[in-house]
Amino acid sequence: MCPHDPACPAAEAPDREAARTLASHPEQGWSLLCNGVVLFEDTGELLPSGDVIAPHRPHPLVGAA
């Protein structure tokens, strides 16, 4: 369970990447989030269930200069 108040998003939540970082290893290209998600520098993710989320890039804002 997440000890933060408010609690971090669950690993299954769409905003799971907003969880706090527990361990950061930029030299290896990954970070462990409070919800158990391993976030890779290429934006790929490994969920605690073993599911893999392919790397994804945010869509550019429409009309942004």
Side-chain angles (χ1 to χ4, degrees):
M1 246 348 198
C2 174
H4 303 112
D5 186 26
C8 291
E12 300 79 25
D15 60 344
R16 65 184 152 260
E17 295 171 11
R20 293 188 188 186
T21 302
L22 292 181
S24 179
H25 295 277
E27 73 283 356
Q28 296 177 356
W30 63 273
S31 296
L32 174 64
L33 304 182
C34 183
N35 55 9
V37 172
V38 177
L39 181 63
F40 296 96
E41 69 180 10
D42 69 354
T43 69
E45 301 171 24
L46 178 60
L47 304 183
S49 64
D51 291 337
V52 174
I53 306 295
H56 53 282
R57 305 280 187 229
H59 298 287
L61 296 175
V62 176

Coordinates of all heavy atoms in Angstrom, one line a residue:
M1 N 0.8 -1.2 0.0 CA 0.0 0.0 0.0 C 0.9 1.2 0.0 O 1.9 1.3 0.6 CB -0.8 0.0 1.3 CG -2.3 -0.1 1.3 SD -3.3 0.0 -0.1 CE -4.8 0.3 0.7
C2 N 0.4 2.3 -0.7 CA 1.1 3.5 -0.7 C 1.0 4.3 0.6 O -0.1 4.5 1.0 CB 0.6 4.3 -1.9 SG 1.2 6.0 -2.0
P3 N 2.1 4.7 1.2 CA 2.0 5.5 2.5 C 1.7 7.0 2.3 O 1.6 7.7 3.2 CB 3.4 5.2 3.1 CG 4.3 5.1 1.9 CD 3.5 4.4 0.9
H4 N 1.7 7.4 1.0 CA 1.6 8.9 0.8 C 0.1 9.3 1.0 O -0.8 8.6 0.8 CB 2.1 9.2 -0.6 CG 3.5 8.8 -0.8 ND1 3.8 7.8 -1.7 CD2 4.6 9.2 -0.3 CE1 5.1 7.6 -1.7 NE2 5.6 8.5 -0.8
D5 N 0.0 10.6 1.3 CA -1.4 11.2 1.4 C -1.4 12.5 0.5 O -0.7 13.4 0.8 CB -1.7 11.6 2.9 CG -3.1 12.0 3.0 OD1 -3.9 11.7 2.2 OD2 -3.3 12.8 4.0
P6 N -2.1 12.5 -0.5 CA -3.0 11.5 -1.0 C -2.2 10.3 -1.6 O -1.1 10.5 -2.0 CB -3.8 12.2 -2.1 CG -3.0 13.3 -2.6 CD -2.1 13.7 -1.4
A7 N -2.9 9.2 -1.7 CA -2.2 8.0 -2.2 C -1.8 8.1 -3.7 O -2.5 8.8 -4.4 CB -3.1 6.8 -2.0
C8 N -0.7 7.5 -4.0 CA -0.3 7.4 -5.4 C -1.3 6.6 -6.3 O -2.0 5.7 -5.7 CB 1.0 6.8 -5.6 SG 2.4 7.8 -4.9
P9 N -1.4 6.9 -7.6 CA -2.3 6.2 -8.4 C -1.9 4.7 -8.5 O -0.7 4.4 -8.4 CB -2.2 6.8 -9.8 CG -1.5 8.1 -9.6 CD -0.7 8.0 -8.3
A10 N -2.9 3.8 -8.6 CA -2.6 2.4 -8.6 C -1.9 2.0 -9.9 O -2.0 2.8 -10.9 CB -4.0 1.6 -8.6
A11 N -1.3 0.9 -9.9 CA -0.5 0.4 -11.1 C -1.4 0.2 -12.3 O -1.0 0.3 -13.5 CB 0.2 -0.8 -10.8
E12 N -2.7 0.0 -12.1 CA -3.7 -0.3 -13.2 C -4.3 1.0 -13.6 O -5.0 1.0 -14.6 CB -4.8 -1.2 -12.7 CG -4.3 -2.6 -12.3 CD -3.7 -2.6 -10.9 OE1 -4.0 -1.7 -10.0 OE2 -2.8 -3.4 -10.6
A13 N -4.1 2.1 -12.9 CA -4.8 3.4 -13.3 C -4.1 4.0 -14.5 O -2.9 3.8 -14.8 CB -4.7 4.4 -12.1
P14 N -4.9 4.8 -15.3 CA -4.3 5.4 -16.5 C -3.2 6.4 -16.1 O -2.3 6.7 -16.9 CB -5.5 6.1 -17.1 CG -6.7 5.6 -16.5 CD -6.3 5.0 -15.2
D15 N -3.3 7.0 -14.9 CA -2.3 8.0 -14.5 C -1.2 7.4 -13.6 O -0.6 8.1 -12.8 CB -2.9 9.2 -13.8 CG -3.7 8.8 -12.6 OD1 -4.0 7.6 -12.4 OD2 -4.1 9.7 -11.8
R16 N -0.9 6.1 -13.8 CA 0.0 5.4 -12.9 C 1.4 6.0 -12.9 O 2.1 5.9 -11.9 CB 0.1 3.9 -13.4 CG 0.7 3.7 -14.7 CD 0.7 2.2 -15.2 NE 0.6 2.2 -16.6 CZ -0.5 1.9 -17.2 NH1 -1.6 1.7 -16.6 NH2 -0.6 1.8 -18.5
E17 N 1.8 6.7 -14.0 CA 3.1 7.3 -14.0 C 3.3 8.5 -13.1 O 4.4 9.0 -12.9 CB 3.4 7.8 -15.5 CG 3.5 6.6 -16.4 CD 3.6 7.1 -17.9 OE1 3.8 8.3 -18.1 OE2 3.5 6.2 -18.8
A18 N 2.2 9.0 -12.5 CA 2.2 10.1 -11.6 C 2.6 9.7 -10.2 O 2.8 10.5 -9.3 CB 0.8 10.8 -11.5
A19 N 2.8 8.4 -9.9 CA 3.2 7.9 -8.6 C 4.6 8.4 -8.3 O 5.4 8.7 -9.2 CB 3.2 6.4 -8.6
R20 N 4.9 8.5 -7.0 CA 6.3 9.0 -6.6 C 7.3 7.9 -6.9 O 7.1 6.7 -6.9 CB 6.2 9.3 -5.1 CG 5.4 10.4 -4.8 CD 5.6 10.8 -3.3 NE 4.6 11.8 -2.9 CZ 4.6 12.4 -1.8 NH1 5.5 12.1 -0.9 NH2 3.7 13.3 -1.5
T21 N 8.5 8.4 -7.2 CA 9.7 7.6 -7.4 C 10.3 7.1 -6.1 O 10.6 7.9 -5.2 CB 10.7 8.3 -8.2 OG1 10.1 8.8 -9.4 CG2 11.9 7.5 -8.6
L22 N 10.4 5.7 -6.0 CA 11.1 5.2 -4.8 C 12.6 4.9 -5.0 O 13.4 5.1 -4.1 CB 10.4 3.8 -4.5 CG 9.0 3.9 -4.0 CD1 8.5 2.4 -3.6 CD2 8.9 4.7 -2.7
A23 N 12.9 4.5 -6.2 CA 14.3 4.3 -6.6 C 14.5 4.7 -8.0 O 13.8 4.4 -8.9 CB 14.6 2.8 -6.5
S24 N 15.6 5.5 -8.2 CA 15.9 6.0 -9.6 C 17.3 5.5 -10.0 O 18.3 5.6 -9.2 CB 15.9 7.5 -9.6 OG 16.2 8.0 -10.8
H25 N 17.4 4.9 -11.1 CA 18.7 4.4 -11.7 C 18.9 4.9 -13.1 O 18.8 4.2 -14.0 CB 18.7 2.9 -11.6 CG 18.7 2.4 -10.2 ND1 19.9 2.3 -9.5 CD2 17.7 1.9 -9.4 CE1 19.5 1.8 -8.3 NE2 18.2 1.6 -8.2
P26 N 19.1 6.2 -13.2 CA 19.2 6.8 -14.6 C 20.4 6.2 -15.4 O 20.3 6.1 -16.6 CB 19.4 8.3 -14.3 CG 19.9 8.4 -12.9 CD 19.3 7.2 -12.2
E27 N 21.4 5.8 -14.7 CA 22.6 5.1 -15.4 C 22.2 3.8 -16.0 O 22.8 3.4 -17.0 CB 23.7 5.0 -14.4 CG 23.6 3.9 -13.4 CD 22.7 4.2 -12.2 OE1 22.2 5.3 -12.1 OE2 22.5 3.3 -11.4
Q28 N 21.1 3.2 -15.5 CA 20.6 2.0 -16.1 C 19.3 2.2 -16.9 O 18.8 1.3 -17.5 CB 20.3 0.9 -15.0 CG 21.6 0.5 -14.3 CD 21.3 -0.4 -13.1 OE1 20.1 -0.7 -12.8 NE2 22.3 -0.9 -12.5
G29 N 18.7 3.4 -16.8 CA 17.6 3.7 -17.6 C 16.2 3.4 -17.0 O 15.3 3.2 -17.8
W30 N 16.1 3.2 -15.7 CA 14.8 2.8 -15.1 C 14.6 3.4 -13.8 O 15.6 3.8 -13.1 CB 14.6 1.3 -15.1 CG 15.6 0.6 -14.2 CD1 16.8 0.2 -14.5 CD2 15.5 0.3 -12.8 NE1 17.5 -0.4 -13.5 CE2 16.6 -0.3 -12.4 CE3 14.4 0.5 -11.9 CZ2 16.8 -0.8 -11.1 CZ3 14.6 0.0 -10.6 CH2 15.8 -0.6 -10.2
S31 N 13.3 3.5 -13.4 CA 13.0 4.0 -12.0 C 11.8 3.1 -11.5 O 11.0 2.6 -12.3 CB 12.4 5.4 -12.1 OG 13.4 6.3 -12.5
L32 N 11.8 2.9 -10.2 CA 10.7 2.1 -9.5 C 9.8 3.1 -8.9 O 10.2 4.0 -8.1 CB 11.3 1.2 -8.5 CG 10.3 0.5 -7.6 CD1 9.4 -0.5 -8.5 CD2 11.0 -0.3 -6.5
L33 N 8.5 3.1 -9.2 CA 7.5 4.0 -8.7 C 6.9 3.3 -7.4 O 6.9 2.1 -7.3 CB 6.5 4.3 -9.7 CG 7.0 4.9 -11.0 CD1 5.8 5.2 -12.0 CD2 7.8 6.1 -10.8
C34 N 6.2 4.1 -6.6 CA 5.6 3.7 -5.4 C 4.5 2.6 -5.6 O 4.3 1.8 -4.7 CB 5.0 4.9 -4.7 SG 4.2 4.6 -3.1
N35 N 3.9 2.7 -6.8 CA 2.8 1.7 -7.0 C 3.4 0.4 -7.6 O 2.6 -0.5 -8.0 CB 1.8 2.3 -8.0 CG 2.4 2.8 -9.3 OD1 3.6 2.6 -9.6 ND2 1.6 3.6 -10.0
G36 N 4.7 0.2 -7.6 CA 5.3 -1.0 -8.1 C 5.6 -1.1 -9.6 O 6.2 -2.0 -10.1
V37 N 5.3 0.0 -10.3 CA 5.6 0.1 -11.7 C 7.1 0.4 -11.9 O 7.7 1.3 -11.3 CB 4.7 1.2 -12.4 CG1 5.2 1.4 -13.8 CG2 3.3 0.8 -12.3
V38 N 7.7 -0.3 -12.9 CA 9.1 0.0 -13.3 C 8.9 0.8 -14.6 O 8.4 0.4 -15.6 CB 9.9 -1.3 -13.5 CG1 11.3 -0.9 -14.1 CG2 10.0 -2.1 -12.3
L39 N 9.4 2.1 -14.5 CA 9.3 3.0 -15.6 C 10.7 3.1 -16.3 O 11.7 3.4 -15.6 CB 8.8 4.4 -15.1 CG 8.6 5.5 -16.1 CD1 7.5 5.1 -17.1 CD2 8.3 6.8 -15.4
F40 N 10.7 2.9 -17.6 CA 12.0 2.9 -18.4 C 12.1 4.3 -19.0 O 11.1 4.9 -19.4 CB 12.0 1.8 -19.4 CG 12.0 0.4 -18.7 CD1 10.9 -0.3 -18.5 CD2 13.2 -0.1 -18.2 CE1 10.9 -1.5 -17.9 CE2 13.2 -1.3 -17.6 CZ 12.1 -2.1 -17.4
E41 N 13.4 4.7 -19.3 CA 13.6 6.0 -19.9 C 13.0 6.1 -21.3 O 12.8 7.2 -21.7 CB 15.1 6.3 -19.9 CG 15.9 5.5 -20.8 CD 17.4 5.8 -20.8 OE1 17.8 6.6 -20.0 OE2 18.1 5.4 -21.7
D42 N 12.7 5.0 -22.0 CA 12.1 5.1 -23.3 C 10.6 5.2 -23.2 O 9.9 5.1 -24.2 CB 12.5 4.0 -24.2 CG 12.0 2.6 -23.7 OD1 11.3 2.6 -22.7 OD2 12.2 1.6 -24.5
T43 N 10.1 5.4 -22.0 CA 8.6 5.5 -21.6 C 7.9 4.1 -21.6 O 6.7 4.1 -21.4 CB 7.9 6.5 -22.5 OG1 7.7 6.0 -23.8 CG2 8.5 7.9 -22.4
G44 N 8.6 3.0 -21.8 CA 8.0 1.7 -21.6 C 7.8 1.5 -20.1 O 8.4 2.1 -19.2
E45 N 7.0 0.5 -19.8 CA 6.7 0.2 -18.4 C 6.5 -1.3 -18.1 O 6.1 -2.0 -19.0 CB 5.3 0.9 -18.0 CG 5.3 2.4 -18.1 CD 4.0 3.0 -17.9 OE1 3.1 2.4 -17.2 OE2 3.7 4.1 -18.4
L46 N 6.9 -1.7 -16.9 CA 6.7 -3.1 -16.5 C 5.8 -3.0 -15.3 O 6.2 -2.3 -14.3 CB 8.0 -3.8 -16.2 CG 7.9 -5.2 -15.6 CD1 7.2 -6.1 -16.7 CD2 9.3 -5.7 -15.3
L47 N 4.6 -3.5 -15.3 CA 3.6 -3.5 -14.2 C 3.9 -4.6 -13.2 O 4.5 -5.6 -13.6 CB 2.2 -3.6 -14.8 CG 1.8 -2.5 -15.8 CD1 0.3 -2.7 -16.2 CD2 2.1 -1.1 -15.3
P48 N 3.4 -4.4 -12.0 CA 3.7 -5.5 -11.0 C 3.1 -6.8 -11.4 O 3.5 -7.9 -11.0 CB 3.0 -4.9 -9.7 CG 2.9 -3.5 -9.9 CD 2.8 -3.3 -11.4
S49 N 2.0 -6.8 -12.2 CA 1.4 -8.0 -12.7 C 2.2 -8.8 -13.7 O 1.9 -9.9 -14.1 CB 0.0 -7.7 -13.3 OG 0.2 -6.9 -14.4
G50 N 3.3 -8.1 -14.2 CA 4.1 -8.7 -15.3 C 3.8 -8.2 -16.6 O 4.4 -8.5 -17.6
D51 N 2.6 -7.5 -16.7 CA 2.2 -6.9 -18.0 C 3.2 -5.8 -18.5 O 3.8 -5.2 -17.6 CB 0.9 -6.3 -17.9 CG -0.2 -7.3 -17.8 OD1 0.0 -8.5 -18.1 OD2 -1.3 -6.9 -17.2
V52 N 3.4 -5.7 -19.8 CA 4.4 -4.8 -20.4 C 3.6 -3.7 -21.1 O 2.7 -4.1 -21.8 CB 5.3 -5.5 -21.3 CG1 6.2 -4.5 -22.0 CG2 6.2 -6.5 -20.6
I53 N 3.9 -2.5 -20.9 CA 3.4 -1.4 -21.6 C 4.4 -0.9 -22.6 O 5.5 -0.5 -22.1 CB 2.9 -0.2 -20.7 CG1 2.0 -0.7 -19.6 CG2 2.3 0.9 -21.5 CD1 0.7 -1.2 -20.1
A54 N 4.1 -0.9 -23.9 CA 5.1 -0.5 -24.9 C 5.5 0.9 -24.7 O 4.7 1.7 -24.2 CB 4.6 -0.8 -26.3
P55 N 6.7 1.3 -25.1 CA 7.0 2.8 -25.1 C 6.0 3.6 -25.8 O 5.5 3.2 -26.8 CB 8.4 2.8 -25.8 CG 9.0 1.4 -25.6 CD 7.8 0.5 -25.7
H56 N 5.7 4.8 -25.2 CA 4.7 5.7 -25.7 C 5.2 7.1 -25.5 O 5.8 7.4 -24.5 CB 3.3 5.4 -25.1 CG 3.4 5.5 -23.6 ND1 3.8 4.4 -22.9 CD2 3.0 6.4 -22.7 CE1 3.8 4.7 -21.6 NE2 3.3 6.0 -21.5
R57 N 4.9 7.9 -26.5 CA 5.3 9.3 -26.4 C 4.0 10.1 -26.3 O 3.0 9.8 -26.9 CB 6.0 9.8 -27.7 CG 7.2 8.9 -28.0 CD 8.4 9.4 -27.1 NE 9.6 8.7 -27.5 CZ 10.4 8.1 -26.7 NH1 10.2 8.1 -25.4 NH2 11.5 7.4 -27.1
P58 N 4.0 11.2 -25.5 CA 2.8 12.0 -25.4 C 2.5 12.7 -26.8 O 3.4 13.0 -27.6 CB 3.2 13.1 -24.4 CG 4.6 12.9 -24.1 CD 5.1 11.6 -24.7
H59 N 1.3 12.9 -27.1 CA 0.8 13.5 -28.3 C 1.1 15.0 -28.2 O 0.8 15.6 -27.1 CB -0.6 13.3 -28.6 CG -0.9 11.8 -28.8 ND1 -0.6 11.1 -29.9 CD2 -1.5 10.9 -28.0 CE1 -0.9 9.9 -29.8 NE2 -1.5 9.7 -28.7
P60 N 1.6 15.7 -29.2 CA 1.8 17.1 -29.1 C 0.4 17.8 -29.0 O -0.6 17.4 -29.4 CB 2.4 17.5 -30.5 CG 2.2 16.3 -31.4 CD 1.9 15.1 -30.5
L61 N 0.5 19.0 -28.3 CA -0.7 19.8 -28.1 C -1.1 20.4 -29.4 O -0.3 21.0 -30.1 CB -0.5 20.8 -27.0 CG -0.2 20.3 -25.6 CD1 0.1 21.5 -24.7 CD2 -1.4 19.5 -25.0
V62 N -2.4 20.4 -29.7 CA -2.9 21.0 -30.9 C -2.8 22.5 -30.7 O -3.2 23.1 -29.7 CB -4.3 20.6 -31.2 CG1 -4.9 21.3 -32.4 CG2 -4.4 19.1 -31.4
G63 N -2.2 23.2 -31.7 CA -2.1 24.6 -31.6 C -1.0 25.2 -30.8 O -0.8 26.3 -30.6
A64 N -0.1 24.3 -30.2 CA 1.0 24.7 -29.4 C 2.1 25.3 -30.4 O 2.3 24.7 -31.4 CB 1.6 23.5 -28.6
A65 N 2.7 26.3 -29.9 CA 3.7 27.0 -30.8 C 5.1 26.5 -30.4 O 5.4 26.0 -29.4 CB 3.6 28.5 -30.6

